[in-house]
């Protein structure tokens, strides 16, 4: 049962990643592209957690936590750059 659920989740996350790539390429504005990148980070975190569940190890969960922190900081930096033109004041 867990194998079928993992396969379904992998398929759903892969489809959402493809849609995010489309939005990243065809996004009409920079904010759309930033949102697409942020959503791609969230989907990548989902893939990492899914790999941790499938392989039965907890090391992937720590990697997902680190990836989430880097994704948050990068999203904030991109948004601050769009608003003010610089990241560090």
């Amino acid at each position: 049962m867990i194998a079928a659920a993992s396969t379904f989740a992998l398929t759903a996350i892969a489809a959402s990643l493809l849609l995010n790539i489309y939005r990243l390429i065809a996004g009409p504005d920079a904010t759309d592209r930033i949102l697409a990148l942020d959503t791609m980070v969230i989907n990548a975190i989902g893939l990492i957690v899914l790999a941790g569940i499938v392989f039965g190890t907890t090391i992937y969960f720590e990697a997902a936590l680190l990836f989430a922190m880097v994704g948050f900081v990068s999203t904030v930096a991109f948004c601050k750059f769009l608003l003010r033109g610089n990241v560090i004041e």
Side-chain angles (χ1 to χ4, degrees), residues 9-72:
L10 181 65
T11 306
I13 291 173
S16 65
L17 273 173
L18 288 176
L19 292 173
N20 284 330
I21 289 172
Y22 171 73
R23 177 54 56 194
L24 185 66
I25 293 171
D29 199 5
T31 55
D32 293 329
R33 291 187 172 105
I34 291 174
L35 282 174
L37 278 175
D38 190 44
T39 309
M40 285 177 71
V41 168
I42 293 170
N43 288 329
I45 292 168
L47 281 176
I48 292 170
V49 169
L50 185 64
I53 292 171
V54 168
F55 294 129
T57 181
T58 59
I59 192 73
Y60 290 102
F61 301 133
E62 295 173 5
L65 181 65
L66 291 173
F67 200 65
M69 288 190 298
V70 170
F72 173 74

